[in-house]
Each structure stands twice: as C-alpha cells, then as structure tokens.
Amino acid sequence: MTRLFCHDHPDTLQLDATVLKTRPGAVLLSQHPFYPGGGGQLPDRGLVRWQGGEASVTGFSEEGGALWLLLPDGVEVAGEVRAEADPLFRQCMRELHTDLHVLNALVFRDFDGALVTGVQMNADGTARIDFDLPDADNDRLRALEPELNDVIAQDLPVLTHHVPLTAAHAEKGLLRSRSVTPPPSPEGLVRVIEIAGLDRQACGGTHLASTAASRPLKILKIENKGRFNRRVRIGLQGA
C-alpha cells in the first residue's frame, strides 16, 4: 500500500496542491488529504476548489501507483487547487474504525483468537464486523458492550507503527483477517495500529488519536451468517 498523507496527518483535512495531470472527470494532484477507502472503510468525501470553480470528489482510481481523484463527468481542473476532506464524515469513519479495533481486541481475547471474516463501516454511524465463530454464544458477544464503552472512556492512546512484512507474519495476532493481509508499502513495511495496553493489528485505515475521542457505542444486533460467521452490528450513540 502507498503511504498516504492521511495516514500520518489524519487531522489535516485541507491541502493546497498543484495539478500534475488532468483529464475530463479526473485529476492527479501533488498532494491531497483523502483516504481512498479500503478494509471496510468508506472513501472520504470532499471537494477540490480552484480559481473560478469547485467540484465534488466522487471517487478514486489508482493507476500506476498514482491516486487520481475522480470528479463529475466533463470537469477539468488546472493550476493551483485546494483539496478538502469532509470533516464530519472523516470523524465518523475514524470513530468507527477505532471502535471496531477495540471490539476486535475483546473478541480475540475472549473467543480463542477468533479471526475477522469481513468488515463494513457505514455513513450513518453504524458498522458491522464478522468473526469466524461457529460455536459462539451470542449473549456472550452482546455482553461485551459495557467493557467496550469502558475501554473507549479510558482514553487509551492510539499509535501507528510500521514493521517489516516478515515481522508482521511472525507476531501472533498482528494479522487478524482470515483471508486478507494489508498490502505492504513499496519499502516492504506493514502499517500497524496499536491501542496502548490493549491491541496491535495491521490496518490501513484512519483512526482516532485516542479512544475517548469516540462517542459511546451500542451493540445493535448479533446475527448468525452461515455455519461459521457471527456478525456484530454496532452504532455510535447520537449518530
């Protein structure tokens, strides 16, 4: 995975940039603050502004290692621009992604290292995470809600590290997905998110600086999805 500006500066949501290349409906900038989506996290929403106009960013396209911003059909941009990510949407994604790591850590601890089989975050402040838990007691999963909110309230720092791919495979519990491994950077490094004293796992999304920056959570529903999967649906209170 290419190291993105938002990985190191998730609070910086506006950047001035130069247009490197352009075509109708797409632009390549010298820099931008956007997260393009992945790992169950939705892509950022936002705008590109330039002298005399502005356009919504409708998506992203990686081409030859470069990330193009997609714009409404026919829009062409030139010169100096300002790229702006939607702050409320980014905050929602950061909360959900961090909180899913907390839930993942508790399930991994209490259910014999159960692996993740799917994740999806939603713009309405809800999310779901699927675990490989063929024999799990759904009431035990639901009973994690008080501890989940206790961890959030503890204001644990959320830290970022980068480790070699071989080290990531060697560290038990660092890779939590049953089928997907975060791609390494061109330097062969894997990005690791650590919640101090609780959890370390590979991840490419955007996160909070500390757990208390999240609103409290509710476990909305536990579902059996097939023979093996348990789906836990969560929601941010007040979202």
Side-chain angles (χ1 to χ4, degrees), residues 154-228:
Q154 287 177 38
D155 200 18
L156 301 179
V158 181
L159 311 169
T160 302
H161 310 286
H162 293 83
V163 303
L165 181 60
T166 53
H169 282 286
E171 184 175 335
K172 183 179 179 182
L174 197 69
L175 304 177
R176 297 281 178 83
S177 173
R178 177 160 292 285
S179 58
V180 178
T181 299
S185 70
E187 298 79 23
L189 301 177
V190 172
R191 184 169 180 262
V192 174
I193 298 300
E194 177 181 1
I195 301 176
L198 178 75
D199 188 52
R200 273 170 60 88
Q201 59 178 290
C203 184
T206 59
H207 296 81
L208 301 170
S210 63
T211 57
S214 173
R215 289 162 281 184
L217 282 178
K218 291 190 68 67
I219 292 181
L220 302 174
K221 192 174 184 180
I222 311 289
E223 301 173 273
N224 298 344
K225 304 299 288 187
R227 291 181 57 194
F228 300 103

Side-chain angles (χ1 to χ4, degrees), residues 103-187:
L103 176 58
N104 189 344
L106 300 181
V107 171
F108 190 80
R109 180 199 67 191
D110 291 352
F111 292 84
D112 300 319
L115 296 179
V116 174
T117 56
V119 177
Q120 182 61 58
M121 291 158 243
N122 304 310
D124 63 357
T126 65
R128 57 94 170 162
I129 183 168
D130 296 355
F131 295 100
D132 183 7
L133 283 172
D135 301 314
D137 181 339
N138 288 354
D139 288 337
R140 280 186 66 205
L141 285 166
R142 194 172 291 107
L144 292 173
E145 183 180 301
E147 186 174 6
L148 180 60
N149 282 305
D150 180 62
V151 170
I152 290 170
Q154 287 177 38
D155 200 18
L156 301 179
V158 181
L159 311 169
T160 302
H161 310 286
H162 293 83
V163 303
L165 181 60
T166 53
H169 282 286
E171 184 175 335
K172 183 179 179 182
L174 197 69
L175 304 177
R176 297 281 178 83
S177 173
R178 177 160 292 285
S179 58
V180 178
T181 299
S185 70
E187 298 79 23

Side-chain angles (χ1 to χ4, degrees), residues 11-22:
D11 292 307
T12 301
L13 301 179
Q14 298 184 10
L15 284 175
D16 293 329
T18 300
V19 173
L20 300 180
K21 295 181 182 179
T22 186

Side-chain angles (χ1 to χ4, degrees), residues 23 59-63 66-70:
R23 62 176 186 253
F60 304 89
S61 177
E62 186 170 352
E63 302 174 20
L67 190 67
W68 287 73
L69 278 54
L70 304 183

Side-chain angles (χ1 to χ4, degrees), residues 13 33-34 44-47 83-92:
L13 301 179
F34 301 113
D44 275 332
R45 299 172 177 176
L47 297 170
E84 302 178 6
D86 183 313
L88 293 180
F89 185 81
R90 169 69 69 83
Q91 175 66 17
C92 179

Side-chain angles (χ1 to χ4, degrees), residues 52-105:
E54 67 177 49
S56 298
V57 177
T58 61
F60 304 89
S61 177
E62 186 170 352
E63 302 174 20
L67 190 67
W68 287 73
L69 278 54
L70 304 183
L71 308 172
D73 288 345
V75 171
E76 284 199 67
V77 183
E80 302 298 315
V81 304
R82 172 165 290 182
E84 302 178 6
D86 183 313
L88 293 180
F89 185 81
R90 169 69 69 83
Q91 175 66 17
C92 179
M93 292 296 106
R94 292 175 73 187
E95 289 182 65
L96 288 173
H97 212 149
T98 303
D99 295 338
L100 286 170
H101 278 231
V102 176
L103 176 58
N104 189 344

